[in-house]
């Protein structure tokens, strides 16, 4: 069955960095677009970054552009989110999503930015 398993979350100080990973299985990863979302406490879930199946089309939310980098390794069936210059407002539960043609969500990994 389809599985998406996020990892790499944790507690980091403002200005720090984290790299999230999302390991996929149960579908042809190299043919699927992938996205990262986040949901801060008490707020809605928002799109953070998107990458096409071949990795040639990438988009970011304005709030993270220039600080976050989405990438993928189709040989490892994994999508990444490199997060630099983290701010307290980046604190959220981060979700990986396979969005096209398979549509499936991971369980999320918590990122907390605090001193």
């Amino acid at each position: 069955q389809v599985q998406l398993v996020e990892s790499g979350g944790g507690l980091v100080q403002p200005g720090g960095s984290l790299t999230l990973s999302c390991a996929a299985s149960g579908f042809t990863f190299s043919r699927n677009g992938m996205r990262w979302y986040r949901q801060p406490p008490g707020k809605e879930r928002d799109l953070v970054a998107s990458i096409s199946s071949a990795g040639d089309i990438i988009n970011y939310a304005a709030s993270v552009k220039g600080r976050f980098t989405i990438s993928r390794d189709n040989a490892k069936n994994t999508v990444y989110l490199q997060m630099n210059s983290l701010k307290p407002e980046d604190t959220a539960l981060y979700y990986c999503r396979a969005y096209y043609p398979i549509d499936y969500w991971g369980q999320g990994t918590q990122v907390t930015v605090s001193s």
Side-chain angles (χ1 to χ4, degrees), residues 34-59:
M34 300 295 296
R35 288 175 171 168
W36 285 97
Y37 289 75
R38 68 184 182 186
Q39 186 167 16
K43 297 185 178 181
E44 294 185 351
R45 191 176 300 185
D46 291 324
L47 177 62
V48 174
S50 179
I51 187 167
S52 62
S53 57
D56 55 340
I57 300 172
I58 291 174
N59 291 288

mmCIF file with all atom_site columns, all heavy atoms in Angstrom, residues 34-59:
data_model
loop_
_atom_site.group_PDB
_atom_site.id
_atom_site.type_symbol
_atom_site.label_atom_id
_atom_site.label_alt_id
_atom_site.label_comp_id
_atom_site.label_asym_id
_atom_site.label_entity_id
_atom_site.label_seq_id
_atom_site.pdbx_PDB_ins_code
_atom_site.Cartn_x
_atom_site.Cartn_y
_atom_site.Cartn_z
_atom_site.occupancy
_atom_site.B_iso_or_equiv
_atom_site.pdbx_formal_charge
_atom_site.auth_seq_id
_atom_site.auth_comp_id
_atom_site.auth_asym_id
_atom_site.auth_atom_id
_atom_site.pdbx_PDB_model_num
ATOM 1   N N   . MET A 1 34 ? 5.247  15.872 -5.949  1.00 0.00 ? 34 MET A N   1
ATOM 2   C CA  . MET A 1 34 ? 5.313  15.819 -4.492  1.00 0.00 ? 34 MET A CA  1
ATOM 3   C C   . MET A 1 34 ? 5.245  17.230 -3.921  1.00 0.00 ? 34 MET A C   1
ATOM 4   O O   . MET A 1 34 ? 5.723  18.188 -4.549  1.00 0.00 ? 34 MET A O   1
ATOM 5   C CB  . MET A 1 34 ? 6.608  15.147 -4.031  1.00 0.00 ? 34 MET A CB  1
ATOM 6   C CG  . MET A 1 34 ? 6.786  13.717 -4.504  1.00 0.00 ? 34 MET A CG  1
ATOM 7   S SD  . MET A 1 34 ? 5.557  12.568 -3.843  1.00 0.00 ? 34 MET A SD  1
ATOM 8   C CE  . MET A 1 34 ? 5.943  12.641 -2.088  1.00 0.00 ? 34 MET A CE  1
ATOM 9   N N   . ARG A 1 35 ? 4.667  17.331 -2.748  1.00 0.00 ? 35 ARG A N   1
ATOM 10  C CA  . ARG A 1 35 ? 4.538  18.630 -2.088  1.00 0.00 ? 35 ARG A CA  1
ATOM 11  C C   . ARG A 1 35 ? 4.820  18.518 -0.597  1.00 0.00 ? 35 ARG A C   1
ATOM 12  O O   . ARG A 1 35 ? 4.615  17.458 -0.011  1.00 0.00 ? 35 ARG A O   1
ATOM 13  C CB  . ARG A 1 35 ? 3.128  19.199 -2.287  1.00 0.00 ? 35 ARG A CB  1
ATOM 14  C CG  . ARG A 1 35 ? 2.854  19.681 -3.686  1.00 0.00 ? 35 ARG A CG  1
ATOM 15  C CD  . ARG A 1 35 ? 1.412  20.119 -3.870  1.00 0.00 ? 35 ARG A CD  1
ATOM 16  N NE  . ARG A 1 35 ? 1.238  20.768 -5.177  1.00 0.00 ? 35 ARG A NE  1
ATOM 17  C CZ  . ARG A 1 35 ? 0.050  21.050 -5.703  1.00 0.00 ? 35 ARG A CZ  1
ATOM 18  N NH1 . ARG A 1 35 ? -1.063 20.761 -5.033  1.00 0.00 ? 35 ARG A NH1 1
ATOM 19  N NH2 . ARG A 1 35 ? -0.028 21.644 -6.878  1.00 0.00 ? 35 ARG A NH2 1
ATOM 20  N N   . TRP A 1 36 ? 5.253  19.622 -0.030  1.00 0.00 ? 36 TRP A N   1
ATOM 21  C CA  . TRP A 1 36 ? 5.331  19.780 1.418   1.00 0.00 ? 36 TRP A CA  1
ATOM 22  C C   . TRP A 1 36 ? 4.309  20.834 1.844   1.00 0.00 ? 36 TRP A C   1
ATOM 23  O O   . TRP A 1 36 ? 4.192  21.895 1.203   1.00 0.00 ? 36 TRP A O   1
ATOM 24  C CB  . TRP A 1 36 ? 6.724  20.233 1.858   1.00 0.00 ? 36 TRP A CB  1
ATOM 25  C CG  . TRP A 1 36 ? 7.764  19.178 1.817   1.00 0.00 ? 36 TRP A CG  1
ATOM 26  C CD1 . TRP A 1 36 ? 8.673  18.943 0.825   1.00 0.00 ? 36 TRP A CD1 1
ATOM 27  C CD2 . TRP A 1 36 ? 8.017  18.196 2.830   1.00 0.00 ? 36 TRP A CD2 1
ATOM 28  N NE1 . TRP A 1 36 ? 9.471  17.876 1.155   1.00 0.00 ? 36 TRP A NE1 1
ATOM 29  C CE2 . TRP A 1 36 ? 9.098  17.409 2.383   1.00 0.00 ? 36 TRP A CE2 1
ATOM 30  C CE3 . TRP A 1 36 ? 7.455  17.906 4.073   1.00 0.00 ? 36 TRP A CE3 1
ATOM 31  C CZ2 . TRP A 1 36 ? 9.623  16.346 3.130   1.00 0.00 ? 36 TRP A CZ2 1
ATOM 32  C CZ3 . TRP A 1 36 ? 7.980  16.863 4.812   1.00 0.00 ? 36 TRP A CZ3 1
ATOM 33  C CH2 . TRP A 1 36 ? 9.048  16.097 4.344   1.00 0.00 ? 36 TRP A CH2 1
ATOM 34  N N   . TYR A 1 37 ? 3.604  20.515 2.911   1.00 0.00 ? 37 TYR A N   1
ATOM 35  C CA  . TYR A 1 37 ? 2.650  21.427 3.531   1.00 0.00 ? 37 TYR A CA  1
ATOM 36  C C   . TYR A 1 37 ? 3.063  21.622 4.992   1.00 0.00 ? 37 TYR A C   1
ATOM 37  O O   . TYR A 1 37 ? 3.830  20.832 5.538   1.00 0.00 ? 37 TYR A O   1
ATOM 38  C CB  . TYR A 1 37 ? 1.239  20.848 3.502   1.00 0.00 ? 37 TYR A CB  1
ATOM 39  C CG  . TYR A 1 37 ? 0.588  20.792 2.159   1.00 0.00 ? 37 TYR A CG  1
ATOM 40  C CD1 . TYR A 1 37 ? 0.972  19.837 1.220   1.00 0.00 ? 37 TYR A CD1 1
ATOM 41  C CD2 . TYR A 1 37 ? -0.432 21.668 1.822   1.00 0.00 ? 37 TYR A CD2 1
ATOM 42  C CE1 . TYR A 1 37 ? 0.364  19.769 -0.020  1.00 0.00 ? 37 TYR A CE1 1
ATOM 43  C CE2 . TYR A 1 37 ? -1.056 21.610 0.580   1.00 0.00 ? 37 TYR A CE2 1
ATOM 44  C CZ  . TYR A 1 37 ? -0.657 20.657 -0.331  1.00 0.00 ? 37 TYR A CZ  1
ATOM 45  O OH  . TYR A 1 37 ? -1.273 20.597 -1.571  1.00 0.00 ? 37 TYR A OH  1
ATOM 46  N N   . ARG A 1 38 ? 2.472  22.641 5.613   1.00 0.00 ? 38 ARG A N   1
ATOM 47  C CA  . ARG A 1 38 ? 2.655  22.796 7.058   1.00 0.00 ? 38 ARG A CA  1
ATOM 48  C C   . ARG A 1 38 ? 1.391  23.351 7.695   1.00 0.00 ? 38 ARG A C   1
ATOM 49  O O   . ARG A 1 38 ? 0.630  24.070 7.053   1.00 0.00 ? 38 ARG A O   1
ATOM 50  C CB  . ARG A 1 38 ? 3.849  23.691 7.365   1.00 0.00 ? 38 ARG A CB  1
ATOM 51  C CG  . ARG A 1 38 ? 3.687  25.152 6.983   1.00 0.00 ? 38 ARG A CG  1
ATOM 52  C CD  . ARG A 1 38 ? 4.982  25.904 7.256   1.00 0.00 ? 38 ARG A CD  1
ATOM 53  N NE  . ARG A 1 38 ? 4.873  27.331 6.947   1.00 0.00 ? 38 ARG A NE  1
ATOM 54  C CZ  . ARG A 1 38 ? 5.896  28.162 6.995   1.00 0.00 ? 38 ARG A CZ  1
ATOM 55  N NH1 . ARG A 1 38 ? 7.119  27.720 7.353   1.00 0.00 ? 38 ARG A NH1 1
ATOM 56  N NH2 . ARG A 1 38 ? 5.736  29.439 6.700   1.00 0.00 ? 38 ARG A NH2 1
ATOM 57  N N   . GLN A 1 39 ? 1.230  22.984 8.959   1.00 0.00 ? 39 GLN A N   1
ATOM 58  C CA  . GLN A 1 39 ? 0.068  23.428 9.709   1.00 0.00 ? 39 GLN A CA  1
ATOM 59  C C   . GLN A 1 39 ? 0.529  23.935 11.072  1.00 0.00 ? 39 GLN A C   1
ATOM 60  O O   . GLN A 1 39 ? 0.847  23.126 11.959  1.00 0.00 ? 39 GLN A O   1
ATOM 61  C CB  . GLN A 1 39 ? -0.958 22.309 9.864   1.00 0.00 ? 39 GLN A CB  1
ATOM 62  C CG  . GLN A 1 39 ? -2.243 22.762 10.504  1.00 0.00 ? 39 GLN A CG  1
ATOM 63  C CD  . GLN A 1 39 ? -3.346 21.726 10.372  1.00 0.00 ? 39 GLN A CD  1
ATOM 64  O OE1 . GLN A 1 39 ? -3.104 20.559 10.069  1.00 0.00 ? 39 GLN A OE1 1
ATOM 65  N NE2 . GLN A 1 39 ? -4.572 22.147 10.584  1.00 0.00 ? 39 GLN A NE2 1
ATOM 66  N N   . PRO A 1 40 ? 0.566  25.264 11.257  1.00 0.00 ? 40 PRO A N   1
ATOM 67  C CA  . PRO A 1 40 ? 0.925  25.805 12.569  1.00 0.00 ? 40 PRO A CA  1
ATOM 68  C C   . PRO A 1 40 ? -0.184 25.520 13.576  1.00 0.00 ? 40 PRO A C   1
ATOM 69  O O   . PRO A 1 40 ? -1.335 25.266 13.185  1.00 0.00 ? 40 PRO A O   1
ATOM 70  C CB  . PRO A 1 40 ? 1.054  27.304 12.296  1.00 0.00 ? 40 PRO A CB  1
ATOM 71  C CG  . PRO A 1 40 ? 1.171  27.436 10.822  1.00 0.00 ? 40 PRO A CG  1
ATOM 72  C CD  . PRO A 1 40 ? 0.397  26.294 10.249  1.00 0.00 ? 40 PRO A CD  1
ATOM 73  N N   . PRO A 1 41 ? 0.134  25.586 14.846  1.00 0.00 ? 41 PRO A N   1
ATOM 74  C CA  . PRO A 1 41 ? -0.893 25.328 15.865  1.00 0.00 ? 41 PRO A CA  1
ATOM 75  C C   . PRO A 1 41 ? -2.085 26.265 15.707  1.00 0.00 ? 41 PRO A C   1
ATOM 76  O O   . PRO A 1 41 ? -1.930 27.476 15.628  1.00 0.00 ? 41 PRO A O   1
ATOM 77  C CB  . PRO A 1 41 ? -0.139 25.599 17.178  1.00 0.00 ? 41 PRO A CB  1
ATOM 78  C CG  . PRO A 1 41 ? 1.301  25.461 16.846  1.00 0.00 ? 41 PRO A CG  1
ATOM 79  C CD  . PRO A 1 41 ? 1.442  25.866 15.417  1.00 0.00 ? 41 PRO A CD  1
ATOM 80  N N   . GLY A 1 42 ? -3.277 25.690 15.649  1.00 0.00 ? 42 GLY A N   1
ATOM 81  C CA  . GLY A 1 42 ? -4.497 26.477 15.575  1.00 0.00 ? 42 GLY A CA  1
ATOM 82  C C   . GLY A 1 42 ? -4.772 27.139 14.238  1.00 0.00 ? 42 GLY A C   1
ATOM 83  O O   . GLY A 1 42 ? -5.683 27.958 14.120  1.00 0.00 ? 42 GLY A O   1
ATOM 84  N N   . LYS A 1 43 ? -3.989 26.774 13.222  1.00 0.00 ? 43 LYS A N   1
ATOM 85  C CA  . LYS A 1 43 ? -4.165 27.398 11.912  1.00 0.00 ? 43 LYS A CA  1
ATOM 86  C C   . LYS A 1 43 ? -4.398 26.341 10.836  1.00 0.00 ? 43 LYS A C   1
ATOM 87  O O   . LYS A 1 43 ? -4.298 25.149 11.091  1.00 0.00 ? 43 LYS A O   1
ATOM 88  C CB  . LYS A 1 43 ? -2.933 28.246 11.562  1.00 0.00 ? 43 LYS A CB  1
ATOM 89  C CG  . LYS A 1 43 ? -2.710 29.411 12.504  1.00 0.00 ? 43 LYS A CG  1
ATOM 90  C CD  . LYS A 1 43 ? -1.569 30.282 12.044  1.00 0.00 ? 43 LYS A CD  1
ATOM 91  C CE  . LYS A 1 43 ? -1.382 31.473 12.972  1.00 0.00 ? 43 LYS A CE  1
ATOM 92  N NZ  . LYS A 1 43 ? -0.266 32.359 12.531  1.00 0.00 ? 43 LYS A NZ  1
ATOM 93  N N   . GLU A 1 44 ? -4.691 26.819 9.640   1.00 0.00 ? 44 GLU A N   1
ATOM 94  C CA  . GLU A 1 44 ? -4.952 25.910 8.523   1.00 0.00 ? 44 GLU A CA  1
ATOM 95  C C   . GLU A 1 44 ? -3.652 25.356 7.951   1.00 0.00 ? 44 GLU A C   1
ATOM 96  O O   . GLU A 1 44 ? -2.582 25.928 8.128   1.00 0.00 ? 44 GLU A O   1
ATOM 97  C CB  . GLU A 1 44 ? -5.729 26.636 7.428   1.00 0.00 ? 44 GLU A CB  1
ATOM 98  C CG  . GLU A 1 44 ? -7.123 27.057 7.842   1.00 0.00 ? 44 GLU A CG  1
ATOM 99  C CD  . GLU A 1 44 ? -7.909 27.672 6.698   1.00 0.00 ? 44 GLU A CD  1
ATOM 100 O OE1 . GLU A 1 44 ? -7.324 27.933 5.643   1.00 0.00 ? 44 GLU A OE1 1
ATOM 101 O OE2 . GLU A 1 44 ? -9.114 27.891 6.872   1.00 0.00 ? 44 GLU A OE2 1
ATOM 102 N N   . ARG A 1 45 ? -3.787 24.261 7.240   1.00 0.00 ? 45 ARG A N   1
ATOM 103 C CA  . ARG A 1 45 ? -2.655 23.659 6.557   1.00 0.00 ? 45 ARG A CA  1
ATOM 104 C C   . ARG A 1 45 ? -2.394 24.422 5.257   1.00 0.00 ? 45 ARG A C   1
ATOM 105 O O   . ARG A 1 45 ? -3.321 24.648 4.470   1.00 0.00 ? 45 ARG A O   1
ATOM 106 C CB  . ARG A 1 45 ? -2.957 22.188 6.254   1.00 0.00 ? 45 ARG A CB  1
ATOM 107 C CG  . ARG A 1 45 ? -1.777 21.394 5.796   1.00 0.00 ? 45 ARG A CG  1
ATOM 108 C CD  . ARG A 1 45 ? -2.142 19.926 5.606   1.00 0.00 ? 45 ARG A CD  1
ATOM 109 N NE  . ARG A 1 45 ? -2.624 19.317 6.833   1.00 0.00 ? 45 ARG A NE  1
ATOM 110 C CZ  . ARG A 1 45 ? -2.918 18.030 6.949   1.00 0.00 ? 45 ARG A CZ  1
ATOM 111 N NH1 . ARG A 1 45 ? -2.772 17.215 5.904   1.00 0.00 ? 45 ARG A NH1 1
ATOM 112 N NH2 . ARG A 1 45 ? -3.352 17.547 8.083   1.00 0.00 ? 45 ARG A NH2 1
ATOM 113 N N   . ASP A 1 46 ? -1.151 24.793 5.020   1.00 0.00 ? 46 ASP A N   1
ATOM 114 C CA  . ASP A 1 46 ? -0.783 25.574 3.838   1.00 0.00 ? 46 ASP A CA  1
ATOM 115 C C   . ASP A 1 46 ? 0.309  24.885 3.032   1.00 0.00 ? 46 ASP A C   1
ATOM 116 O O   . ASP A 1 46 ? 1.182  24.211 3.596   1.00 0.00 ? 46 ASP A O   1
ATOM 117 C CB  . ASP A 1 46 ? -0.275 26.965 4.240   1.00 0.00 ? 46 ASP A CB  1
ATOM 118 C CG  . ASP A 1 46 ? -1.370 27.843 4.814   1.00 0.00 ? 46 ASP A CG  1
ATOM 119 O OD1 . ASP A 1 46 ? -2.513 27.751 4.340   1.00 0.00 ? 46 ASP A OD1 1
ATOM 120 O OD2 . ASP A 1 46 ? -1.071 28.605 5.746   1.00 0.00 ? 46 ASP A OD2 1
ATOM 121 N N   . LEU A 1 47 ? 0.278  25.123 1.741   1.00 0.00 ? 47 LEU A N   1
ATOM 122 C CA  . LEU A 1 47 ? 1.305  24.596 0.846   1.00 0.00 ? 47 LEU A CA  1
ATOM 123 C C   . LEU A 1 47 ? 2.613  25.362 1.057   1.00 0.00 ? 47 LEU A C   1
ATOM 124 O O   . LEU A 1 47 ? 2.620  26.592 1.076   1.00 0.00 ? 47 LEU A O   1
ATOM 125 C CB  . LEU A 1 47 ? 0.845  24.716 -0.602  1.00 0.00 ? 47 LEU A CB  1
ATOM 126 C CG  . LEU A 1 47 ? 1.819  24.269 -1.682  1.00 0.00 ? 47 LEU A CG  1
ATOM 127 C CD1 . LEU A 1 47 ? 2.140  22.799 -1.559  1.00 0.00 ? 47 LEU A CD1 1
ATOM 128 C CD2 . LEU A 1 47 ? 1.239  24.572 -3.072  1.00 0.00 ? 47 LEU A CD2 1
ATOM 129 N N   . VAL A 1 48 ? 3.695  24.627 1.190   1.00 0.00 ? 48 VAL A N   1
ATOM 130 C CA  . VAL A 1 48 ? 5.014  25.226 1.388   1.00 0.00 ? 48 VAL A CA  1
ATOM 131 C C   . VAL A 1 48 ? 5.843  25.168 0.109   1.00 0.00 ? 48 VAL A C   1
ATOM 132 O O   . VAL A 1 48 ? 6.431  26.155 -0.305  1.00 0.00 ? 48 VAL A O   1
ATOM 133 C CB  . VAL A 1 48 ? 5.773  24.504 2.517   1.00 0.00 ? 48 VAL A CB  1
ATOM 134 C CG1 . VAL A 1 48 ? 7.208  25.017 2.628   1.00 0.00 ? 48 VAL A CG1 1
ATOM 135 C CG2 . VAL A 1 48 ? 5.043  24.672 3.840   1.00 0.00 ? 48 VAL A CG2 1
ATOM 136 N N   . ALA A 1 49 ? 5.890  23.985 -0.507  1.00 0.00 ? 49 ALA A N   1
ATOM 137 C CA  . ALA A 1 49 ? 6.728  23.814 -1.691  1.00 0.00 ? 49 ALA A CA  1
ATOM 138 C C   . ALA A 1 49 ? 6.209  22.643 -2.512  1.00 0.00 ? 49 ALA A C   1
ATOM 139 O O   . ALA A 1 49 ? 5.615  21.711 -1.968  1.00 0.00 ? 49 ALA A O   1
ATOM 140 C CB  . ALA A 1 49 ? 8.179  23.578 -1.302  1.00 0.00 ? 49 ALA A CB  1
ATOM 141 N N   . SER A 1 50 ? 6.487  22.710 -3.811  1.00 0.00 ? 50 SER A N   1
ATOM 142 C CA  . SER A 1 50 ? 6.004  21.707 -4.742  1.00 0.00 ? 50 SER A CA  1
ATOM 143 C C   . SER A 1 50 ? 7.100  21.373 -5.740  1.00 0.00 ? 50 SER A C   1
ATOM 144 O O   . SER A 1 50 ? 7.845  22.264 -6.173  1.00 0.00 ? 50 SER A O   1
ATOM 145 C CB  . SER A 1 50 ? 4.778  22.255 -5.462  1.00 0.00 ? 50 SER A CB  1
ATOM 146 O OG  . SER A 1 50 ? 4.276  21.347 -6.393  1.00 0.00 ? 50 SER A OG  1
ATOM 147 N N   . ILE A 1 51 ? 7.188  20.097 -6.126  1.00 0.00 ? 51 ILE A N   1
ATOM 148 C CA  . ILE A 1 51 ? 8.183  19.676 -7.104  1.00 0.00 ? 51 ILE A CA  1
ATOM 149 C C   . ILE A 1 51 ? 7.544  18.662 -8.043  1.00 0.00 ? 51 ILE A C   1
ATOM 150 O O   . ILE A 1 51 ? 6.824  17.765 -7.608  1.00 0.00 ? 51 ILE A O   1
ATOM 151 C CB  . ILE A 1 51 ? 9.438  19.110 -6.405  1.00 0.00 ? 51 ILE A CB  1
ATOM 152 C CG1 . ILE A 1 51 ? 10.553 18.824 -7.417  1.00 0.00 ? 51 ILE A CG1 1
ATOM 153 C CG2 . ILE A 1 51 ? 9.112  17.870 -5.571  1.00 0.00 ? 51 ILE A CG2 1
ATOM 154 C CD1 . ILE A 1 51 ? 11.909 18.556 -6.767  1.00 0.00 ? 51 ILE A CD1 1
ATOM 155 N N   . SER A 1 52 ? 7.808  18.827 -9.328  1.00 0.00 ? 52 SER A N   1
ATOM 156 C CA  . SER A 1 52 ? 7.255  17.922 -10.329 1.00 0.00 ? 52 SER A CA  1
ATOM 157 C C   . SER A 1 52 ? 7.962  16.571 -10.278 1.00 0.00 ? 52 SER A C   1
ATOM 158 O O   . SER A 1 52 ? 8.983  16.403 -9.603  1.00 0.00 ? 52 SER A O   1
ATOM 159 C CB  . SER A 1 52 ? 7.394  18.535 -11.716 1.00 0.00 ? 52 SER A CB  1
ATOM 160 O OG  . SER A 1 52 ? 8.761  18.731 -12.037 1.00 0.00 ? 52 SER A OG  1
ATOM 161 N N   . SER A 1 53 ? 7.417  15.611 -11.020 1.00 0.00 ? 53 SER A N   1
ATOM 162 C CA  . SER A 1 53 ? 7.955  14.251 -10.980 1.00 0.00 ? 53 SER A CA  1
ATOM 163 C C   . SER A 1 53 ? 9.428  14.204 -11.404 1.00 0.00 ? 53 SER A C   1
ATOM 164 O O   . SER A 1 53 ? 10.214 13.462 -10.818 1.00 0.00 ? 53 SER A O   1
ATOM 165 C CB  . SER A 1 53 ? 7.127  13.331 -11.862 1.00 0.00 ? 53 SER A CB  1
ATOM 166 O OG  . SER A 1 53 ? 7.093  13.820 -13.193 1.00 0.00 ? 53 SER A OG  1
ATOM 167 N N   . ALA A 1 54 ? 9.790  15.006 -12.395 1.00 0.00 ? 54 ALA A N   1
ATOM 168 C CA  . ALA A 1 54 ? 11.171 15.018 -12.876 1.00 0.00 ? 54 ALA A CA  1
ATOM 169 C C   . ALA A 1 54 ? 12.047 16.004 -12.109 1.00 0.00 ? 54 ALA A C   1
ATOM 170 O O   . ALA A 1 54 ? 13.258 16.064 -12.336 1.00 0.00 ? 54 ALA A O   1
ATOM 171 C CB  . ALA A 1 54 ? 11.210 15.354 -14.358 1.00 0.00 ? 54 ALA A CB  1
ATOM 172 N N   . GLY A 1 55 ? 11.439 16.780 -11.241 1.00 0.00 ? 55 GLY A N   1
ATOM 173 C CA  . GLY A 1 55 ? 12.188 17.769 -10.464 1.00 0.00 ? 55 GLY A CA  1
ATOM 174 C C   . GLY A 1 55 ? 12.489 19.047 -11.203 1.00 0.00 ? 55 GLY A C   1
ATOM 175 O O   . GLY A 1 55 ? 13.273 19.871 -10.720 1.00 0.00 ? 55 GLY A O   1
ATOM 176 N N   . ASP A 1 56 ? 11.864 19.249 -12.362 1.00 0.00 ? 56 ASP A N   1
ATOM 177 C CA  . ASP A 1 56 ? 12.191 20.419 -13.166 1.00 0.00 ? 56 ASP A CA  1
ATOM 178 C C   . ASP A 1 56 ? 11.251 21.589 -12.957 1.00 0.00 ? 56 ASP A C   1
ATOM 179 O O   . ASP A 1 56 ? 11.534 22.701 -13.431 1.00 0.00 ? 56 ASP A O   1
ATOM 180 C CB  . ASP A 1 56 ? 12.216 20.032 -14.651 1.00 0.00 ? 56 ASP A CB  1
ATOM 181 C CG  . ASP A 1 56 ? 10.926 19.386 -15.127 1.00 0.00 ? 56 ASP A CG  1
ATOM 182 O OD1 . ASP A 1 56 ? 10.157 18.892 -14.276 1.00 0.00 ? 56 ASP A OD1 1
ATOM 183 O OD2 . ASP A 1 56 ? 10.693 19.363 -16.338 1.00 0.00 ? 56 ASP A OD2 1
ATOM 184 N N   . ILE A 1 57 ? 10.158 21.362 -12.267 1.00 0.00 ? 57 ILE A N   1
ATOM 185 C CA  . ILE A 1 57 ? 9.235  22.462 -11.963 1.00 0.00 ? 57 ILE A CA  1
ATOM 186 C C   . ILE A 1 57 ? 9.091  22.526 -10.452 1.00 0.00 ? 57 ILE A C   1
ATOM 187 O O   . ILE A 1 57 ? 8.628  21.573 -9.823  1.00 0.00 ? 57 ILE A O   1
ATOM 188 C CB  . ILE A 1 57 ? 7.866  22.247 -12.617 1.00 0.00 ? 57 ILE A CB  1
ATOM 189 C CG1 . ILE A 1 57 ? 8.028  22.150 -14.142 1.00 0.00 ? 57 ILE A CG1 1
ATOM 190 C CG2 . ILE A 1 57 ? 6.917  23.388 -12.261 1.00 0.00 ? 57 ILE A CG2 1
ATOM 191 C CD1 . ILE A 1 57 ? 6.763  21.757 -14.866 1.00 0.00 ? 57 ILE A CD1 1
ATOM 192 N N   . ILE A 1 58 ? 9.505  23.648 -9.887  1.00 0.00 ? 58 ILE A N   1
ATOM 193 C CA  . ILE A 1 58 ? 9.522  23.835 -8.435  1.00 0.00 ? 58 ILE A CA  1
ATOM 194 C C   . ILE A 1 58 ? 8.861  25.162 -8.100  1.00 0.00 ? 58 ILE A C   1
ATOM 195 O O   . ILE A 1 58 ? 9.097  26.170 -8.781  1.00 0.00 ? 58 ILE A O   1
ATOM 196 C CB  . ILE A 1 58 ? 10.969 23.800 -7.898  1.00 0.00 ? 58 ILE A CB  1
ATOM 197 C CG1 . ILE A 1 58 ? 11.547 22.391 -8.024  1.00 0.00 ? 58 ILE A CG1 1
ATOM 198 C CG2 . ILE A 1 58 ? 11.028 24.284 -6.458  1.00 0.00 ? 58 ILE A CG2 1
ATOM 199 C CD1 . ILE A 1 58 ? 13.014 22.285 -7.647  1.00 0.00 ? 58 ILE A CD1 1
ATOM 200 N N   . ASN A 1 59 ? 8.057  25.143 -7.068  1.00 0.00 ? 59 ASN A N   1
ATOM 201 C CA  . ASN A 1 59 ? 7.399  26.361 -6.608  1.00 0.00 ? 59 ASN A CA  1
ATOM 202 C C   . ASN A 1 59 ? 7.442  26.430 -5.077  1.00 0.00 ? 59 ASN A C   1
ATOM 203 O O   . ASN A 1 59 ? 7.434  25.398 -4.402  1.00 0.00 ? 59 ASN A O   1
ATOM 204 C CB  . ASN A 1 59 ? 5.943  26.402 -7.081  1.00 0.00 ? 59 ASN A CB  1
ATOM 205 C CG  . ASN A 1 59 ? 5.840  26.584 -8.573  1.00 0.00 ? 59 ASN A CG  1
ATOM 206 O OD1 . ASN A 1 59 ? 6.112  27.658 -9.104  1.00 0.00 ? 59 ASN A OD1 1
ATOM 207 N ND2 . ASN A 1 59 ? 5.452  25.536 -9.270  1.00 0.00 ? 59 ASN A ND2 1
#
